[in-house]
């Protein structure tokens, strides 16, 4: 039984360790300024604008464009993700769907996201 638990523990360490290490990234360079771009037209009633953002990979920052999205359920709103300086590094705070727009770093994404809430996607 001990040998079985040891093997299971070893397998778990081998599988989990690379994933955990890959998620820890120390970014000390601020993301670039948000680009100015034109918002595409609303594709259909009920869609919500999810603004673009700077993502990060081993090659540095890259732009993920904004898009219109159908919420996963009626009444949900999108809170955008944002970069924040914390403990000596820039950390990404993931966006999420919820019944109201939460805090998103005070970032003015435009297109209805003025830095303090959601104003209808205009």
């Amino acid at each position: 039984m001990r040998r079985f638990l040891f093997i299971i523990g070893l397998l778990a360490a081998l599988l989990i360790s690379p994933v955990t290490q890959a998620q820890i990234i120390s970014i000390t360079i601020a993301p670039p300024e948000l680009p100015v771009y034109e918002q595409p037209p609303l594709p259909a009633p009920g869609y919500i604008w999810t603004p673009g953002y700077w993502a990060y990979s081993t090659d540095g920052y890259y732009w993920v464009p904004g898009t219109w999205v159908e919420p996963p359920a009626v009444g949900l709103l999108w809170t955008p993700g944002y970069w924040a300086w914390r403990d000596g590094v820039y950390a990404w705070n993931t966006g999420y769907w919820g019944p109201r727009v939460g805090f998103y770093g005070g970032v003015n994404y435009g297109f209805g996201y003025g830095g303090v809430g959601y104003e209808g996607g205009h």
Side-chain angles (χ1 to χ4, degrees), residues 77-104:
L77 298 172
W78 177 249
T79 296
Y82 64 97
W83 290 97
W85 183 255
R86 182 173 48 234
D87 298 328
V89 296
Y90 284 94
W92 176 248
N93 296 273
T94 306
Y96 59 91
W97 290 100
R100 63 185 180 284
V101 177
F103 180 71
Y104 53 94

Side-chain angles (χ1 to χ4, degrees), residues 42-92:
L42 178 69
Y47 278 66
I48 292 183
W49 180 253
T50 58
Y53 61 93
W54 288 107
Y56 192 85
S57 74
T58 55
D59 294 328
Y61 287 101
Y62 62 95
W63 181 249
V64 177
T67 187
W68 289 102
V69 178
E70 251 185 311
V74 174
L76 293 183
L77 298 172
W78 177 249
T79 296
Y82 64 97
W83 290 97
W85 183 255
R86 182 173 48 234
D87 298 328
V89 296
Y90 284 94
W92 176 248

